[in-house]
Amino acid sequence: MEPDKARQRLLAERRDILQRRARLSVSFNDIVEAARDSNVDDEHDTEGTTIASERSMVSSLDREAAERVEGIGRALDRVAAGSYGRCLTCGGLISDGRLEARPDAEQCIDCAQQSSRR
Ligand SMILES: [Zn+2]
């Protein structure tokens, strides 16, 4: 993959993730607001439970987004260093198809499958 094209893809991907993340925190705030406005039954604190589970879901999605953004940052470093598109494990080339689907991929498909099986 051309370095310029790779950089464009990575920047677009990062922008998407950051936008999704911003929307996520907005919708989570809505849930909290809605729960605060409604009269919560003290004995059966279902709203509180909903908020707790929403919060854990949002925070795990948020952590995932933060990890992707970090991975994209590392991929951009590799583009600058000229090592983009090389598997970090075996040094082989990562296929263009894989980079299209996952521009921040750090391993070729073989190594990725092996490490997910471990
Ligand atoms: Zn590999």
Side-chain angles (χ1 to χ4, degrees), residues 35-36 38-49:
R36 198 178 290 143
S38 67
N39 280 322
V40 178
D41 183 337
D42 279 339
E43 264 181 88
H44 306 284
D45 189 8
T46 50
E47 296 291 349
T49 310

Side-chain angles (χ1 to χ4, degrees), residues 26-100:
V26 168
S27 66
F28 177 65
N29 287 338
D30 285 349
I31 293 163
V32 175
E33 287 295 318
R36 198 178 290 143
D37 290 347
S38 67
N39 280 322
V40 178
D41 183 337
D42 279 339
E43 264 181 88
H44 306 284
D45 189 8
T46 50
E47 296 291 349
T49 310
T50 307
I51 291 177
S53 71
E54 289 284 344
R55 177 176 289 138
S56 79
M57 192 193 78
V58 167
S59 75
S60 83
L61 285 173
D62 206 47
R63 204 162 41 235
E64 208 177 284
E67 279 168 15
R68 290 289 317 271
V69 168
E70 265 181 42
I72 288 169
R74 288 196 299 273
L76 285 167
D77 287 346
R78 292 197 299 279
V79 173
S83 62
Y84 179 76
R86 291 247 166 221
C87 173
L88 293 188
T89 305
C90 72
L93 283 175
I94 303 173
S95 72
D96 275 5
R98 179 163 164 75
L99 290 173
E100 288 283 351

Side-chain angles (χ1 to χ4, degrees), residues 1-7 79 84 96:
M1 191 181 278
E2 293 292 319
D4 278 348
K5 194 185 167 198
R7 194 178 290 114
V79 173
Y84 179 76
D96 275 5

